Amino acid sequence: MGQRRVVTIEDITRVALESRRPGCDKGVMHVEGPVQSAVFRVAPGSGVPVHLHSAVYDLFIGVKGLLEIRYEGQQGHGTFELRAGGFCAMPPGVKHEIFNPSLTEEAFFVSVHAPHEGYDFVPVDFRELEPALADRRYIATQRSPSA
């Protein structure tokens, strides 16, 4: 069995990013079996609109800047501030949105989809919270398992 490539924090700066929606780019860093790790670059005022996953955990790690992760589920709702070095585990079935509230600073985060097999992106609306992103153009790019 050959040695697999080691992926480090420096690799984040070398990942080829693809635009997912205006101001939000994604680059896949690593795929192994059922898990995918990706880096996101989020421009000021942009992010990922409200959605949920039916069977997938989203694991978020802050890399640079500040992001707001708004969430709503059976256990309540709120906003988590994801900063560099911070961590947030979003379980399946919880509605969530990722937003960069800065007027000037871009933000980066790493997302791990666990498992990535069976990944789905289900657009939803919050019942209690006001979404920061009303633009749903991102959704069309997220329907395929390779997203």
Side-chain angles (χ1 to χ4, degrees):
M1 180 168 91
Q3 174 68 47
R4 292 192 171 94
R5 181 168 130 1
V6 173
V7 179
T8 67
I9 195 75
E10 289 81 22
D11 294 321
I12 291 173
T13 61
R14 294 185 212 113
V15 172
L17 301 173
E18 296 179 15
S19 181
R20 292 297 192 201
R21 68 180 303 276
C24 186
D25 304 324
K26 175 184 178 182
V28 175
M29 295 188 314
H30 180 257
V31 177
E32 181 71 31
V35 178
Q36 180 193 80
S37 301
V39 62
F40 283 76
R41 178 176 58 203
V42 184
S46 189
V48 181
V50 184
H51 66 283
L52 63 78
H53 307 288
S54 60
V56 174
Y57 272 85
D58 267 342
L59 307 176
F60 301 109
I61 303 163
V63 175
K64 178 185 174 188
L66 169 68
L67 292 155
E68 293 178 355
I69 301 177
R70 295 184 172 109
Y71 64 91
E72 187 176 277
Q74 293 178 350
Q75 303 297 318
H77 62 275
T79 301
F80 177 77
E81 291 188 347
L82 184 67
R83 299 177 186 278
F87 175 80
C88 178
M90 190 64 58
V94 176
K95 300 172 185 179
H96 57 286
E97 169 187 64
I98 300 96
F99 176 67
N100 180 351
S102 175
L103 298 176
T104 58
E105 301 284 324
E106 66 183 7
F108 287 79
F109 70 94
V110 169
S111 172
V112 178
H113 297 301
H116 189 254
E117 292 174 353
Y119 176 88
D120 59 356
F121 185 98
V122 181
V124 292
D125 293 315
F126 285 138
R127 290 186 177 174
E128 302 290 329
L129 301 173
E130 184 67 31
L133 298 166
D135 178 1
R136 293 207 149 172
R137 286 180 281 176
Y138 180 84
I139 293 162
T141 68
Q142 295 300 298
R143 298 215 183 260
S144 71
S146 64

